[in-house]
Amino acid sequence: MTLETISTSKAFGGTQGVYRHASTATGTDMTFSVYVPPHEDGARLPVLWYLSGLTCTHANVTDKGEYRSACAEHGVIFIAPDTSPRGPGVPDDDAYDFGQGAGFYVDATQDPWAEHFHMRRYVEDELPALIAAEFAMADLGRQGITGHSMGGHGALTIGLRNPDRFRSVTAFAPIAAPSQVPWGEKALGGYLGPDREAWRRHDACAMIADGARISDLLIDQGDADPFLAGQLRPELLEAACRDAGIALTLRMQPGYDHSYCFIATFMADHVAWAAQRLKP
Amino acid sequence: MTLETISTSKAFGGTQGVYRHASTATGTDMTFSVYVPPHEDGARLPVLWYLSGLTCTHANVTDKGEYRSACAEHGVIFIAPDTSPRGPGVPDDDAYDFGQGAGFYVDATQDPWAEHFHMRRYVEDELPALIAAEFAMADLGRQGITGHSMGGHGALTIGLRNPDRFRSVTAFAPIAAPSQVPWGEKALGGYLGPDREAWRRHDACAMIADGARISDLLIDQGDADPFLAGQLRPELLEAACRDAGIALTLRMQPGYDHSYCFIATFMADHVAWAAQRLKP
C-alpha cells in the first residue's frame, strides 16, 4: 500500500491532510482526509472516523465540519473517507441517492455494483490497515466512529458490528432504519438484492433487534430537518435501544436542518463524547 | 432595495443566511452572506465585515471560515460580500487575479471595467445601507472590518478611509502594499489606469504615509504562505505603522499557509478583537 499526499495545511496547531491511494476493496483510487492534532513526538492518539452522507466526498466535512478546533483541544485524529468508489470505469446512476456518492457502507452483491461498491470492507478493514501502516501516531486500539445521514447509518451499523473496536459511536441525523425508508430500500435493494433478510446486517434497528449491542450512543437530530419523518426516523432507533437496554442520548435540536450548519454546531460535542470514551 | 433570501440555516443558535439583491453600484445582482448570532428580541448587535480574497465569492468564508462559534459567543453579526460583479454581461479576464473574482475593492475608472467594477462603493456605501434597511438588529454605529489577502487589502484601505466608522480593523495575510507587488500593480493599473498617484488612495501603506490613521490593527500572517515575500509584504506595513505611530499587532504564525485552514485557526481571535472594540 502506498499513499499519495494531495495536500497538507497547518490548522489549529496540527495538520490537515488529503491523501489518495489505490484501494483493493473498491478497485479504484480512493481519496480521504486526515486531521492530526498537535501532539508530542512519540505520542499515540485516538482516532475518530467520520462517515459522510449522500453526494458527499471527504471534502464536505473537511471544509465545513469545524472539527479541527475540538480535535486539537482533545488530541483526537479525525479521518473522513469518501462515500463510494468513483471514476469513469465505475458504474453510476443518475439519481443522487444511488451509485457514485451513495455507497451506503455495504458490500454490494448485485451487478453491476458488486465489482467496485465495497464500502463496508473499505471503511471497516482496508482503510484502518492503511492508517495503521502510514500514521504512526494513530492508536487503532482507541477508535470511535460518527457520521451524518447515510454516514450516520454507516457509523451505527459499523459500530454495532464491531463493539470491541469502536468505544464511541455517535451520529448526526442518521438514517436509523434504512430497511423502512425510501433511501434505504432503494440502496439496500439495489446493492444487496430483494431478499430483505440480507438487509438486516446493514440496518441499525434490525441489528439491535437481532442482538447487536453497544454500551451507549449519542444522536443529534434537527427538528427542522426536511428528511426527519420520511427518511431518518430516530423514533425507531429510540424504540430499538429502549427494548435492548442501550443507553441512547437522542437530542432533538430545535430549528436545525440537515446541513453542515447543523453538523458544525454540534461537532465539538461529538468530538468530546468520543474523547471521553477513548482515554487511554 | 429588495432582498431575496437564497437560504437560511440555523447555526450555533443563530441564523446563517445567503441573500441576493440588485446592486446599483455594480449594475448586477450581488450575493452575500450574513450570520446573525442568537440575541434577545430588540437587541442591537455590532457588525463585522469580512472581505474575501482572489477567486472567492461569499461562499468560501461562509463554508470554511469557522466564524459562527465566536460570533455566537460574542454576539457579533458577520457579513461576507462577493469580491466582484459577475455574470455574462460583465467583462472578465482569463487570469484568476483580474476581472471577475478580483474586484480589489476599488471603483474602476478604466474601460471596460468602469461600468460594473465599483466594489469600493458597493462595500463602503451600498451594502451597509441595505443592511441597515433590512436587518433591524444590525447596529451600524458599531462596525468592524477584516479580510483575507485581496480582502485584507480591502479591509485595511476601507478601514483607513473611514476611521470613525470602523472601530476595529484586522486582516489575515493582507496585500499590504499593492502598489509595490505584482497582484496590485496589475489590478490597480488595470482598474485605475497608469497614473500611480490614483493608486495611493487604495494602498494601505501609501494611505498611512499620506496621513491616514487608525488607533490599532491586528494582522495574522503565516510564515509558510507562498505569497508572503512576493505579494503580501507585511514588513512594509510594519514600517508604515511604526513611522505613523499606529499600534500594529503583527503575528507571524509559524508553519501556516495562505488557506482557510490558516484563516479558521485564527478567526476566533479576530472576532474577539472586534467584539472588544465594538462594545456599546
Side-chain angles (χ1 to χ4, degrees):
Chain A
M1 293 180 291
T2 58
L3 195 60
E4 176 189 357
T5 300
I6 297 174
S7 69
T8 60
S9 284
K10 189 169 178 181
F12 292 92
T15 302
Q16 179 63 61
V18 178
Y19 307 92
R20 183 164 43 213
H21 69 122
S23 164
T24 56
T26 66
T28 64
D29 282 358
M30 294 292 285
T31 302
F32 61 96
S33 76
V34 179
Y35 177 68
V36 177
H39 59 280
E40 303 285 323
D41 279 356
R44 306 204 68 221
L45 308 173
V47 172
L48 179 58
W49 297 87
Y50 177 94
L51 305 183
S52 294
L54 289 167
T55 77
C56 290
T57 69
H58 73 283
N60 302 69
V61 72
T62 307
D63 287 350
K64 303 182 191 178
E66 303 194 24
Y67 53 82
R68 283 170 286 263
S69 174
C71 286
E73 177 187 347
H74 294 288
V76 172
I77 295 171
F78 190 100
I79 306 179
D82 202 345
T83 55
S84 80
R86 297 178 190 271
V90 176
D92 198 6
D93 187 282
D94 287 339
Y96 75 97
D97 58 358
F98 193 62
Q100 296 187 33
F104 259 84
Y105 307 101
V106 301
D107 294 330
T109 58
Q110 306 298 299
D111 287 332
W113 315 103
E115 184 179 357
H116 294 291
F117 280 70
H118 302 131
M119 288 303 291
R120 183 210 64 77
R121 195 189 316 161
Y122 176 70
V123 168
E124 225 172 278
D125 302 335
E126 185 181 21
L127 193 52
L130 181 69
I131 296 294
E134 299 284 348
F135 291 82
M137 78 296 287
D139 181 358
L140 279 299
R142 294 187 286 151
Q143 294 182 62
I145 192 163
T146 188
H148 173 236
S149 195
M150 177 184 74
H153 145 74
L156 295 176
T157 54
I158 292 174
L160 283 161
R161 195 177 299 121
N162 301 278
D164 296 336
R165 192 201 297 186
F166 297 103
R167 286 154 52 184
S168 170
V169 182
T170 78
F172 302 85
I175 303 172
S179 305
Q180 302 182 53
V181 301
W183 277 343
E185 290 181 303
K186 179 178 181 179
L188 298 180
Y191 295 132
L192 303 177
D195 178 7
R196 285 176 173 251
E197 273 302 303
W199 301 6
R200 295 187 69 81
R201 294 190 299 279
H202 301 282
D203 178 306
C205 289
M207 291 173 76
I208 293 170
D210 291 347
R213 292 293 179 269
I214 48 179
S215 55
D216 60 10
L217 182 54
L218 170 65
I219 307 277
D220 276 310
Q221 172 63 58
D223 76 1
D225 187 325
F227 304 113
L228 173 55
Q231 303 280 10
L232 305 175
R233 304 200 63 184
E235 75 282 2
L236 297 175
L237 184 63
E238 196 169 33
C241 286
R242 188 172 54 235
D243 291 348
I246 294 173
L248 168 64
T249 301
L250 171 60
R251 308 193 303 187
M252 295 302 296
Q253 301 290 2
Y256 286 89
D257 63 21
H258 202 63
S259 73
Y260 269 92
C261 279
F262 156 67
I263 299 168
T265 299
F266 301 104
M267 179 62 84
D269 291 352
H270 288 242
V271 173
W273 177 282
Q276 174 67 27
R277 284 156 183 77
L278 298 177
K279 286 180 175 166
Chain B
M1 292 180 295
T2 60
L3 195 61
E4 178 190 355
T5 300
I6 296 175
S7 69
T8 61
S9 284
K10 189 169 179 181
F12 292 93
T15 302
Q16 179 63 61
V18 179
Y19 307 92
R20 182 163 47 211
H21 69 122
S23 164
T24 56
T26 66
T28 64
D29 282 358
M30 293 291 286
T31 302
F32 61 96
S33 76
V34 179
Y35 177 67
V36 177
H39 60 280
E40 302 287 323
D41 279 354
R44 306 204 69 221
L45 309 173
V47 171
L48 179 59
W49 298 88
Y50 177 93
L51 304 183
S52 294
L54 289 168
T55 77
C56 290
T57 69
H58 72 283
N60 302 69
V61 71
T62 307
D63 288 349
K64 304 182 189 177
E66 303 195 25
Y67 54 81
R68 282 169 287 263
S69 175
C71 286
E73 178 188 348
H74 294 287
V76 172
I77 295 172
F78 190 100
I79 306 179
D82 202 346
T83 55
S84 80
R86 297 177 190 272
V90 177
D92 199 7
D93 187 282
D94 287 340
Y96 76 98
D97 58 358
F98 194 63
Q100 294 189 34
F104 258 83
Y105 307 100
V106 301
D107 294 329
T109 57
Q110 305 298 300
D111 288 331
W113 314 103
E115 183 180 357
H116 295 291
F117 281 69
H118 302 131
M119 289 303 292
R120 184 210 62 78
R121 194 188 317 160
Y122 176 70
V123 167
E124 226 172 277
D125 301 335
E126 184 180 21
L127 194 52
L130 181 70
I131 296 294
E134 299 283 349
F135 291 83
M137 75 296 287
D139 181 358
L140 279 298
R142 294 187 285 151
Q143 295 182 60
I145 193 162
T146 187
H148 172 237
S149 195
M150 177 184 73
H153 145 72
L156 295 176
T157 54
I158 292 174
L160 284 161
R161 195 176 300 121
N162 302 277
D164 295 336
R165 192 200 296 183
F166 297 103
R167 287 155 52 184
S168 170
V169 182
T170 78
F172 302 87
I175 305 172
S179 306
Q180 303 184 50
V181 302
W183 277 343
E185 291 180 303
K186 178 177 181 181
L188 298 180
Y191 295 131
L192 303 177
D195 176 8
R196 286 176 174 251
E197 272 304 301
W199 301 7
R200 295 187 69 81
R201 294 189 300 278
H202 300 283
D203 178 306
C205 289
M207 291 173 76
I208 293 170
D210 291 346
R213 293 292 179 270
I214 48 178
S215 55
D216 60 8
L217 183 55
L218 170 65
I219 307 275
D220 276 310
Q221 172 64 59
D223 77 0
D225 186 326
F227 304 111
L228 173 55
Q231 304 279 10
L232 305 175
R233 305 203 59 186
E235 74 282 3
L236 297 175
L237 184 64
E238 197 169 32
C241 286
R242 188 172 53 236
D243 291 347
I246 294 174
L248 168 65
T249 302
L250 171 60
R251 308 194 303 188
M252 295 302 296
Q253 301 290 1
Y256 286 89
D257 61 22
H258 201 64
S259 73
Y260 269 91
C261 280
F262 156 66
I263 298 167
T265 299
F266 301 105
M267 179 62 83
D269 292 351
H270 288 242
V271 173
W273 177 282
Q276 174 68 28
R277 283 154 182 79
L278 298 177
K279 285 181 176 166

